[in-house]
Amino acid sequence: MENFTYCTPTKYVFGRGAELNAGSEAKIAGMRNVMVVYGGGSAVASGVLQRVLDSLASAGIQTVTLGGVRPNPTDDLVYKGIDMCRSGGIDSLVAVGGGSVIDTAKAIALGVPYDGDFWDFFAGKVKAETALPVGVVLTIPAAGSEGSGNSVITRIDGMRKISLRTDMALRPRFALLNPELTFTLPPYQTACGIADMMAHIMERYFSTTPDVEITDRVAEGVLTAIIEEAPKVMERPDDYQARANIMWSGTLAHNGICGTGRREDWTSHAMEHEISALYGVAHGAGLAVVFPAWMTFMAEHRPAKIAQFGRRVFGVQSHDDRTAAMEAIEALKGFYGSLGLPVTFAELGVEDPDIATLVAKLHDNKGAAIGGYYTLTAKETEEIYRLAL
Ligand code: NZQ
Ligand code: ZN
């Protein structure tokens, strides 16, 4: 096991009516003049946005709203939000939604106190150290942004989708998680969220660091729970207990606990971000396509951990690592298929992907050699994209 520092400063409030704590939690966090950010309308339709605004008002907190965040959020709304915050004397943000809304709020929070262009942080020119405080009311378990220090924004100029990772600056102060808010999710969004949270664990699990049994077992446990609970939420969208288990899994998958003490990979995420930037697909669906392809490559080149994943998570029996790895991949694809997720580009609705562009942008954004589990150059990432055809 490698040395590590693990700190998740976010305060989680979980359960029915959790969003009603927005006012009290915002007050504890010292928020006085809040921008409330939301998406394309689900938070309005469900009434959660109004409940959050009422809760903030009853705590004596002033609010302005910024709606219209779209999935795979873009920089234009971030610039608009930064201008609004500055002119309105906003001191903090509350995001009501999923990863796209939370990441937009985080990027605004970073940009407001910074003199230059907020994109400098995403371009790697400046280190992100300070930001306005952000609170979260989560409506979809998927991206894990409610507990992560990350923000993923697409720059419209060049459609560059970049994931900014910070240790602390962008960790939300509080996250309010009410599983009932997820009852209204369409089945496809529920499934995409499940694929995303599984990927967050797998990116950390596929590691060459030896002797990380505790972290392996935590990761395998969360994965196993997701696989057991997923069919329940697909069959009965209003099954509170199943929704609660899936919601908490999404947070645990990405708040760092599944990665302690080891090197992580994150190639599949980098490869997927190029797909969702170019084709506008849901991030989780893109991962359901690219992750099995990455694993298929690894079954050939470094099968040991893929085989362990198959044996411990899917009950694969084969003793030979390569065979067990291939069986694991089939089991994973079968699971994704059972949720109605795509596992090929064609099923994703991308009949003829522009692989040359995907590869070029990937290495332009991430460097010539990528990956923690196995180092990949353009030759190999092209092969993996082709395995997803
Ligand atoms: O916009 P509205 O109307 O709210 O609809 C949303 C959206 O269309 C809908 N939705 C959300 N809650 C709902 C609901 N519909 C009905 N009932 C509800 N309760 O779901 C759709 C997808 O929302 P989005 O926020 O885009 O989903 P997700 O949470 O999957 O976020 C995806 C984004 O997060 C990034 C992804 O790349 C992508 O841009 N990620 C962020 C990460 C982070 N910050 O740590 C890590 C992830 O790996 C990921 O890359
Ligand atoms: Zn993800």
Side-chain angles (χ1 to χ4, degrees), residues 142-143 192-200 202-203 266-273 275-276 281-295 332 336 341-343 348:
C192 288
I194 288 165
D196 192 16
M197 62 183 77
M198 289 178 73
H200 294 158
M202 288 149 59
E203 298 278 18
W266 295 101
T267 305
S268 299
H269 262 70
M271 294 185 71
E272 193 298 311
H273 283 158
I275 300 173
S276 47
V281 300
H283 170 62
L287 285 167
V289 171
V290 91
F291 222 126
W294 178 89
M295 290 165 77
L332 181 65
Y336 287 156
L341 287 166
V343 292
L348 187 62

mmCIF file of all heavy atoms in Angstrom, residues 142-143 192-200 202-203 266-273 275-276 281-295 332 336 341-343 348:
data_model
loop_
_atom_site.group_PDB
_atom_site.id
_atom_site.type_symbol
_atom_site.label_atom_id
_atom_site.label_comp_id
_atom_site.label_asym_id
_atom_site.label_seq_id
_atom_site.Cartn_x
_atom_site.Cartn_y
_atom_site.Cartn_z
ATOM 1 N N ALA A 142 -24.803 9.647 -9.775
ATOM 2 C CA ALA A 142 -24.077 9.318 -11.006
ATOM 3 C C ALA A 142 -22.635 9.812 -10.910
ATOM 4 O O ALA A 142 -21.713 9.042 -10.622
ATOM 5 C CB ALA A 142 -24.770 9.932 -12.218
ATOM 6 N N ALA A 143 -22.455 11.111 -11.141
ATOM 7 C CA ALA A 143 -21.119 11.680 -11.307
ATOM 8 C C ALA A 143 -20.320 11.716 -10.006
ATOM 9 O O ALA A 143 -19.100 11.795 -10.041
ATOM 10 C CB ALA A 143 -21.235 13.097 -11.877
ATOM 11 N N CYS A 192 -27.486 5.087 -16.722
ATOM 12 C CA CYS A 192 -26.231 5.801 -17.022
ATOM 13 C C CYS A 192 -25.515 6.162 -15.719
ATOM 14 O O CYS A 192 -24.282 6.074 -15.622
ATOM 15 C CB CYS A 192 -26.506 7.068 -17.829
ATOM 16 S SG CYS A 192 -26.976 6.737 -19.535
ATOM 17 N N GLY A 193 -26.284 6.556 -14.722
ATOM 18 C CA GLY A 193 -25.692 6.886 -13.426
ATOM 19 C C GLY A 193 -25.015 5.675 -12.808
ATOM 20 O O GLY A 193 -23.924 5.777 -12.234
ATOM 21 N N ILE A 194 -25.649 4.527 -12.933
ATOM 22 C CA ILE A 194 -25.081 3.294 -12.367
ATOM 23 C C ILE A 194 -23.769 2.946 -13.083
ATOM 24 O O ILE A 194 -22.777 2.589 -12.441
ATOM 25 C CB ILE A 194 -26.127 2.162 -12.459
ATOM 26 C CG1 ILE A 194 -27.239 2.433 -11.430
ATOM 27 C CG2 ILE A 194 -25.490 0.788 -12.242
ATOM 28 C CD1 ILE A 194 -28.499 1.625 -11.624
ATOM 29 N N ALA A 195 -23.756 3.075 -14.402
ATOM 30 C CA ALA A 195 -22.516 2.796 -15.145
ATOM 31 C C ALA A 195 -21.406 3.755 -14.725
ATOM 32 O O ALA A 195 -20.233 3.365 -14.598
ATOM 33 C CB ALA A 195 -22.765 2.905 -16.647
ATOM 34 N N ASP A 196 -21.767 5.001 -14.492
ATOM 35 C CA ASP A 196 -20.759 5.996 -14.113
ATOM 36 C C ASP A 196 -20.175 5.684 -12.738
ATOM 37 O O ASP A 196 -18.952 5.673 -12.543
ATOM 38 C CB ASP A 196 -21.371 7.399 -14.146
ATOM 39 C CG ASP A 196 -20.332 8.500 -14.062
ATOM 40 O OD1 ASP A 196 -19.133 8.217 -14.288
ATOM 41 O OD2 ASP A 196 -20.705 9.656 -13.782
ATOM 42 N N MET A 197 -21.052 5.398 -11.767
ATOM 43 C CA MET A 197 -20.500 5.139 -10.414
ATOM 44 C C MET A 197 -19.660 3.866 -10.406
ATOM 45 O O MET A 197 -18.620 3.802 -9.740
ATOM 46 C CB MET A 197 -21.604 5.129 -9.357
ATOM 47 C CG MET A 197 -22.655 4.087 -9.501
ATOM 48 S SD MET A 197 -23.965 4.239 -8.222
ATOM 49 C CE MET A 197 -24.945 5.593 -8.807
ATOM 50 N N MET A 198 -20.077 2.849 -11.172
ATOM 51 C CA MET A 198 -19.244 1.638 -11.252
ATOM 52 C C MET A 198 -17.879 1.972 -11.856
ATOM 53 O O MET A 198 -16.839 1.492 -11.392
ATOM 54 C CB MET A 198 -19.941 0.566 -12.094
ATOM 55 C CG MET A 198 -21.153 -0.038 -11.396
ATOM 56 S SD MET A 198 -22.008 -1.259 -12.403
ATOM 57 C CE MET A 198 -20.859 -2.633 -12.329
ATOM 58 N N ALA A 199 -17.897 2.822 -12.875
ATOM 59 C CA ALA A 199 -16.632 3.207 -13.520
ATOM 60 C C ALA A 199 -15.727 3.953 -12.545
ATOM 61 O O ALA A 199 -14.499 3.768 -12.558
ATOM 62 C CB ALA A 199 -16.911 4.059 -14.751
ATOM 63 N N HIS A 200 -16.316 4.773 -11.687
ATOM 64 C CA HIS A 200 -15.487 5.515 -10.714
ATOM 65 C C HIS A 200 -14.757 4.555 -9.775
ATOM 66 O O HIS A 200 -13.632 4.824 -9.349
ATOM 67 C CB HIS A 200 -16.347 6.492 -9.915
ATOM 68 C CG HIS A 200 -16.913 7.570 -10.768
ATOM 69 N ND1 HIS A 200 -18.020 8.299 -10.437
ATOM 70 C CD2 HIS A 200 -16.520 8.035 -11.986
ATOM 71 C CE1 HIS A 200 -18.285 9.164 -11.397
ATOM 72 N NE2 HIS A 200 -17.391 9.016 -12.349
ATOM 73 N N MET A 202 -14.076 1.298 -10.616
ATOM 74 C CA MET A 202 -13.167 0.476 -11.427
ATOM 75 C C MET A 202 -11.890 1.227 -11.827
ATOM 76 O O MET A 202 -10.813 0.656 -11.901
ATOM 77 C CB MET A 202 -13.921 -0.047 -12.660
ATOM 78 C CG MET A 202 -14.943 -1.126 -12.280
ATOM 79 S SD MET A 202 -16.424 -1.186 -13.341
ATOM 80 C CE MET A 202 -15.715 -1.496 -14.939
ATOM 81 N N GLU A 203 -12.021 2.540 -12.071
ATOM 82 C CA GLU A 203 -10.830 3.338 -12.402
ATOM 83 C C GLU A 203 -9.812 3.281 -11.260
ATOM 84 O O GLU A 203 -8.608 3.397 -11.459
ATOM 85 C CB GLU A 203 -11.204 4.805 -12.636
ATOM 86 C CG GLU A 203 -12.141 5.067 -13.794
ATOM 87 C CD GLU A 203 -11.448 5.128 -15.153
ATOM 88 O OE1 GLU A 203 -10.313 4.641 -15.272
ATOM 89 O OE2 GLU A 203 -12.076 5.667 -16.086
ATOM 90 N N TRP A 266 -7.909 5.828 -14.666
ATOM 91 C CA TRP A 266 -8.657 6.938 -15.274
ATOM 92 C C TRP A 266 -8.540 7.071 -16.794
ATOM 93 O O TRP A 266 -8.938 8.082 -17.373
ATOM 94 C CB TRP A 266 -8.324 8.280 -14.579
ATOM 95 C CG TRP A 266 -8.783 8.242 -13.169
ATOM 96 C CD1 TRP A 266 -8.016 8.022 -12.057
ATOM 97 C CD2 TRP A 266 -10.139 8.325 -12.701
ATOM 98 N NE1 TRP A 266 -8.806 7.974 -10.922
ATOM 99 C CE2 TRP A 266 -10.117 8.151 -11.287
ATOM 100 C CE3 TRP A 266 -11.374 8.529 -13.334
ATOM 101 C CZ2 TRP A 266 -11.276 8.193 -10.508
ATOM 102 C CZ3 TRP A 266 -12.507 8.550 -12.557
ATOM 103 C CH2 TRP A 266 -12.452 8.389 -11.161
ATOM 104 N N THR A 267 -8.029 6.034 -17.464
ATOM 105 C CA THR A 267 -7.976 6.097 -18.932
ATOM 106 C C THR A 267 -9.370 6.065 -19.543
ATOM 107 O O THR A 267 -9.662 6.803 -20.488
ATOM 108 C CB THR A 267 -7.204 4.882 -19.482
ATOM 109 O OG1 THR A 267 -5.934 4.848 -18.874
ATOM 110 C CG2 THR A 267 -7.049 4.985 -20.986
ATOM 111 N N SER A 268 -10.234 5.189 -19.025
ATOM 112 C CA SER A 268 -11.563 5.064 -19.643
ATOM 113 C C SER A 268 -12.328 6.380 -19.538
ATOM 114 O O SER A 268 -13.058 6.763 -20.466
ATOM 115 C CB SER A 268 -12.353 3.930 -18.984
ATOM 116 O OG SER A 268 -11.669 2.707 -19.167
ATOM 117 N N HIS A 269 -12.166 7.074 -18.403
ATOM 118 C CA HIS A 269 -12.826 8.372 -18.287
ATOM 119 C C HIS A 269 -12.291 9.367 -19.314
ATOM 120 O O HIS A 269 -13.054 10.082 -19.945
ATOM 121 C CB HIS A 269 -12.672 8.928 -16.870
ATOM 122 C CG HIS A 269 -13.876 8.666 -16.029
ATOM 123 N ND1 HIS A 269 -14.195 7.405 -15.602
ATOM 124 C CD2 HIS A 269 -14.879 9.486 -15.580
ATOM 125 C CE1 HIS A 269 -15.333 7.466 -14.913
ATOM 126 N NE2 HIS A 269 -15.757 8.712 -14.883
ATOM 127 N N ALA A 270 -10.976 9.402 -19.453
ATOM 128 C CA ALA A 270 -10.396 10.344 -20.424
ATOM 129 C C ALA A 270 -10.897 10.011 -21.834
ATOM 130 O O ALA A 270 -11.248 10.911 -22.608
ATOM 131 C CB ALA A 270 -8.875 10.277 -20.349
ATOM 132 N N MET A 271 -10.946 8.706 -22.143
ATOM 133 C CA MET A 271 -11.409 8.309 -23.487
ATOM 134 C C MET A 271 -12.889 8.633 -23.662
ATOM 135 O O MET A 271 -13.314 9.045 -24.738
ATOM 136 C CB MET A 271 -11.153 6.811 -23.702
ATOM 137 C CG MET A 271 -9.657 6.491 -23.742
ATOM 138 S SD MET A 271 -9.313 4.762 -24.141
ATOM 139 C CE MET A 271 -9.770 4.707 -25.881
ATOM 140 N N GLU A 272 -13.668 8.450 -22.602
ATOM 141 C CA GLU A 272 -15.110 8.755 -22.696
ATOM 142 C C GLU A 272 -15.347 10.242 -22.840
ATOM 143 O O GLU A 272 -16.211 10.656 -23.602
ATOM 144 C CB GLU A 272 -15.856 8.234 -21.460
ATOM 145 C CG GLU A 272 -17.377 8.240 -21.622
ATOM 146 C CD GLU A 272 -18.000 9.605 -21.841
ATOM 147 O OE1 GLU A 272 -17.702 10.561 -21.105
ATOM 148 O OE2 GLU A 272 -18.815 9.734 -22.787
ATOM 149 N N HIS A 273 -14.599 11.056 -22.116
ATOM 150 C CA HIS A 273 -14.851 12.501 -22.196
ATOM 151 C C HIS A 273 -14.720 12.996 -23.639
ATOM 152 O O HIS A 273 -15.440 13.913 -24.050
ATOM 153 C CB HIS A 273 -13.907 13.268 -21.258
ATOM 154 C CG HIS A 273 -14.333 13.183 -19.816
ATOM 155 N ND1 HIS A 273 -13.461 13.397 -18.763
ATOM 156 C CD2 HIS A 273 -15.529 12.898 -19.238
ATOM 157 C CE1 HIS A 273 -14.126 13.254 -17.607
ATOM 158 N NE2 HIS A 273 -15.369 12.942 -17.882
ATOM 159 N N ILE A 275 -15.585 11.218 -26.214
ATOM 160 C CA ILE A 275 -16.805 10.761 -26.905
ATOM 161 C C ILE A 275 -17.972 11.696 -26.583
ATOM 162 O O ILE A 275 -18.690 12.162 -27.476
ATOM 163 C CB ILE A 275 -17.152 9.303 -26.501
ATOM 164 C CG1 ILE A 275 -16.007 8.349 -26.880
ATOM 165 C CG2 ILE A 275 -18.454 8.857 -27.164
ATOM 166 C CD1 ILE A 275 -16.188 6.910 -26.367
ATOM 167 N N SER A 276 -18.163 12.005 -25.281
ATOM 168 C CA SER A 276 -19.311 12.872 -24.945
ATOM 169 C C SER A 276 -19.086 14.306 -25.419
ATOM 170 O O SER A 276 -20.050 15.003 -25.739
ATOM 171 C CB SER A 276 -19.674 12.812 -23.459
ATOM 172 O OG SER A 276 -18.562 12.924 -22.625
ATOM 173 N N VAL A 281 -23.249 12.483 -26.027
ATOM 174 C CA VAL A 281 -23.940 11.354 -25.373
ATOM 175 C C VAL A 281 -23.836 11.491 -23.855
ATOM 176 O O VAL A 281 -23.006 12.247 -23.343
ATOM 177 C CB VAL A 281 -23.315 10.000 -25.797
ATOM 178 C CG1 VAL A 281 -23.437 9.820 -27.304
ATOM 179 C CG2 VAL A 281 -21.851 9.902 -25.358
ATOM 180 N N ALA A 282 -24.677 10.735 -23.141
ATOM 181 C CA ALA A 282 -24.579 10.731 -21.676
ATOM 182 C C ALA A 282 -23.255 10.070 -21.278
ATOM 183 O O ALA A 282 -22.876 9.023 -21.829
ATOM 184 C CB ALA A 282 -25.756 9.982 -21.064
ATOM 185 N N HIS A 283 -22.590 10.695 -20.319
ATOM 186 C CA HIS A 283 -21.265 10.230 -19.862
ATOM 187 C C HIS A 283 -21.291 8.745 -19.462
ATOM 188 O O HIS A 283 -20.429 7.964 -19.852
ATOM 189 C CB HIS A 283 -20.843 11.123 -18.695
ATOM 190 C CG HIS A 283 -19.647 10.685 -17.928
ATOM 191 N ND1 HIS A 283 -18.388 10.570 -18.492
ATOM 192 C CD2 HIS A 283 -19.509 10.339 -16.615
ATOM 193 C CE1 HIS A 283 -17.532 10.181 -17.553
ATOM 194 N NE2 HIS A 283 -18.188 10.022 -16.410
ATOM 195 N N GLY A 284 -22.312 8.334 -18.702
ATOM 196 C CA GLY A 284 -22.389 6.945 -18.235
ATOM 197 C C GLY A 284 -22.549 5.965 -19.392
ATOM 198 O O GLY A 284 -22.000 4.855 -19.368
ATOM 199 N N ALA A 285 -23.306 6.368 -20.407
ATOM 200 C CA ALA A 285 -23.494 5.501 -21.568
ATOM 201 C C ALA A 285 -22.180 5.342 -22.327
ATOM 202 O O ALA A 285 -21.819 4.239 -22.770
ATOM 203 C CB ALA A 285 -24.578 6.080 -22.475
ATOM 204 N N GLY A 286 -21.453 6.437 -22.467
ATOM 205 C CA GLY A 286 -20.149 6.368 -23.131
ATOM 206 C C GLY A 286 -19.194 5.453 -22.374
ATOM 207 O O GLY A 286 -18.423 4.689 -22.975
ATOM 208 N N LEU A 287 -19.276 5.498 -21.038
ATOM 209 C CA LEU A 287 -18.414 4.620 -20.230
ATOM 210 C C LEU A 287 -18.783 3.152 -20.399
ATOM 211 O O LEU A 287 -17.913 2.271 -20.392
ATOM 212 C CB LEU A 287 -18.521 5.004 -18.750
ATOM 213 C CG LEU A 287 -17.789 6.275 -18.343
ATOM 214 C CD1 LEU A 287 -18.246 6.714 -16.954
ATOM 215 C CD2 LEU A 287 -16.283 6.076 -18.373
ATOM 216 N N ALA A 288 -20.087 2.869 -20.538
ATOM 217 C CA ALA A 288 -20.523 1.477 -20.721
ATOM 218 C C ALA A 288 -19.966 0.907 -22.029
ATOM 219 O O ALA A 288 -19.791 -0.302 -22.167
ATOM 220 C CB ALA A 288 -22.049 1.391 -20.695
ATOM 221 N N VAL A 289 -19.663 1.795 -22.958
ATOM 222 C CA VAL A 289 -19.084 1.366 -24.235
ATOM 223 C C VAL A 289 -17.561 1.237 -24.130
ATOM 224 O O VAL A 289 -16.975 0.240 -24.552
ATOM 225 C CB VAL A 289 -19.461 2.384 -25.350
ATOM 226 C CG1 VAL A 289 -18.698 2.102 -26.636
ATOM 227 C CG2 VAL A 289 -20.972 2.362 -25.582
ATOM 228 N N VAL A 290 -16.927 2.232 -23.544
ATOM 229 C CA VAL A 290 -15.461 2.284 -23.610
ATOM 230 C C VAL A 290 -14.786 1.414 -22.539
ATOM 231 O O VAL A 290 -13.703 0.853 -22.781
ATOM 232 C CB VAL A 290 -14.986 3.759 -23.575
ATOM 233 C CG1 VAL A 290 -14.708 4.263 -22.182
ATOM 234 C CG2 VAL A 290 -13.766 3.961 -24.452
ATOM 235 N N PHE A 291 -15.414 1.271 -21.382
ATOM 236 C CA PHE A 291 -14.727 0.529 -20.309
ATOM 237 C C PHE A 291 -14.527 -0.948 -20.669
ATOM 238 O O PHE A 291 -13.416 -1.491 -20.515
ATOM 239 C CB PHE A 291 -15.441 0.694 -18.955
ATOM 240 C CG PHE A 291 -14.484 0.905 -17.808
ATOM 241 C CD1 PHE A 291 -14.606 1.994 -16.963
ATOM 242 C CD2 PHE A 291 -13.439 0.008 -17.570
ATOM 243 C CE1 PHE A 291 -13.715 2.207 -15.913
ATOM 244 C CE2 PHE A 291 -12.543 0.212 -16.523
ATOM 245 C CZ PHE A 291 -12.684 1.309 -15.698
ATOM 246 N N PRO A 292 -15.560 -1.640 -21.156
ATOM 247 C CA PRO A 292 -15.322 -3.044 -21.549
ATOM 248 C C PRO A 292 -14.266 -3.168 -22.659
ATOM 249 O O PRO A 292 -13.521 -4.155 -22.701
ATOM 250 C CB PRO A 292 -16.695 -3.515 -22.036
ATOM 251 C CG PRO A 292 -17.673 -2.615 -21.342
ATOM 252 C CD PRO A 292 -16.991 -1.284 -21.260
ATOM 253 N N ALA A 293 -14.199 -2.172 -23.539
ATOM 254 C CA ALA A 293 -13.179 -2.219 -24.597
ATOM 255 C C ALA A 293 -11.783 -2.089 -23.987
ATOM 256 O O ALA A 293 -10.847 -2.820 -24.358
ATOM 257 C CB ALA A 293 -13.436 -1.101 -25.609
ATOM 258 N N TRP A 294 -11.644 -1.178 -23.031
ATOM 259 C CA TRP A 294 -10.356 -1.017 -22.319
ATOM 260 C C TRP A 294 -9.996 -2.327 -21.605
ATOM 261 O O TRP A 294 -8.853 -2.791 -21.644
ATOM 262 C CB TRP A 294 -10.475 0.147 -21.326
ATOM 263 C CG TRP A 294 -9.256 0.398 -20.490
ATOM 264 C CD1 TRP A 294 -8.206 1.210 -20.790
ATOM 265 C CD2 TRP A 294 -8.956 -0.179 -19.201
ATOM 266 N NE1 TRP A 294 -7.269 1.179 -19.768
ATOM 267 C CE2 TRP A 294 -7.706 0.332 -18.793
ATOM 268 C CE3 TRP A 294 -9.618 -1.074 -18.365
ATOM 269 C CZ2 TRP A 294 -7.095 -0.017 -17.575
ATOM 270 C CZ3 TRP A 294 -9.021 -1.430 -17.155
ATOM 271 C CH2 TRP A 294 -7.778 -0.901 -16.778
ATOM 272 N N MET A 295 -10.979 -2.942 -20.976
ATOM 273 C CA MET A 295 -10.722 -4.193 -20.245
ATOM 274 C C MET A 295 -10.333 -5.317 -21.213
ATOM 275 O O MET A 295 -9.507 -6.177 -20.880
ATOM 276 C CB MET A 295 -11.966 -4.604 -19.441
ATOM 277 C CG MET A 295 -12.239 -3.676 -18.261
ATOM 278 S SD MET A 295 -13.905 -3.886 -17.575
ATOM 279 C CE MET A 295 -13.703 -5.404 -16.649
ATOM 280 N N LEU A 332 -19.839 -8.241 -17.308
ATOM 281 C CA LEU A 332 -20.080 -6.806 -17.162
ATOM 282 C C LEU A 332 -20.965 -6.294 -18.302
ATOM 283 O O LEU A 332 -21.923 -5.542 -18.080
ATOM 284 C CB LEU A 332 -18.740 -6.055 -17.137
ATOM 285 C CG LEU A 332 -18.832 -4.540 -16.958
ATOM 286 C CD1 LEU A 332 -19.418 -4.177 -15.593
ATOM 287 C CD2 LEU A 332 -17.465 -3.885 -17.137
ATOM 288 N N TYR A 336 -24.615 -4.539 -18.068
ATOM 289 C CA TYR A 336 -24.982 -3.258 -18.687
ATOM 290 C C TYR A 336 -26.184 -3.439 -19.619
ATOM 291 O O TYR A 336 -27.120 -2.641 -19.607
ATOM 292 C CB TYR A 336 -23.804 -2.684 -19.487
ATOM 293 C CG TYR A 336 -22.661 -2.124 -18.662
ATOM 294 C CD1 TYR A 336 -21.377 -2.041 -19.207
ATOM 295 C CD2 TYR A 336 -22.854 -1.665 -17.366
ATOM 296 C CE1 TYR A 336 -20.314 -1.527 -18.475
ATOM 297 C CE2 TYR A 336 -21.798 -1.146 -16.632
ATOM 298 C CZ TYR A 336 -20.531 -1.078 -17.192
ATOM 299 O OH TYR A 336 -19.493 -0.560 -16.464
ATOM 300 N N LEU A 341 -28.300 -0.442 -21.310
ATOM 301 C CA LEU A 341 -27.176 0.426 -21.699
ATOM 302 C C LEU A 341 -26.510 -0.099 -22.972
ATOM 303 O O LEU A 341 -26.472 -1.311 -23.198
ATOM 304 C CB LEU A 341 -26.134 0.462 -20.576
ATOM 305 C CG LEU A 341 -26.508 1.267 -19.338
ATOM 306 C CD1 LEU A 341 -25.566 0.946 -18.187
ATOM 307 C CD2 LEU A 341 -26.468 2.765 -19.652
ATOM 308 N N PRO A 342 -25.928 0.799 -23.756
ATOM 309 C CA PRO A 342 -25.172 0.367 -24.933
ATOM 310 C C PRO A 342 -23.815 -0.199 -24.525
ATOM 311 O O PRO A 342 -23.280 0.186 -23.485
ATOM 312 C CB PRO A 342 -24.975 1.674 -25.706
ATOM 313 C CG PRO A 342 -24.954 2.727 -24.641
ATOM 314 C CD PRO A 342 -25.917 2.250 -23.570
ATOM 315 N N VAL A 343 -23.278 -1.118 -25.329
ATOM 316 C CA VAL A 343 -21.896 -1.571 -25.073
ATOM 317 C C VAL A 343 -21.025 -1.471 -26.332
ATOM 318 O O VAL A 343 -19.872 -1.891 -26.308
ATOM 319 C CB VAL A 343 -21.828 -3.007 -24.487
ATOM 320 C CG1 VAL A 343 -22.408 -3.046 -23.074
ATOM 321 C CG2 VAL A 343 -22.532 -4.015 -25.374
ATOM 322 N N LEU A 348 -24.630 2.959 -29.027
ATOM 323 C CA LEU A 348 -24.622 4.309 -28.450
ATOM 324 C C LEU A 348 -25.248 5.320 -29.420
ATOM 325 O O LEU A 348 -25.503 6.464 -29.050
ATOM 326 C CB LEU A 348 -23.168 4.691 -28.124
ATOM 327 C CG LEU A 348 -22.862 5.965 -27.370
ATOM 328 C CD1 LEU A 348 -23.476 5.948 -25.965
ATOM 329 C CD2 LEU A 348 -21.333 6.162 -27.253
#
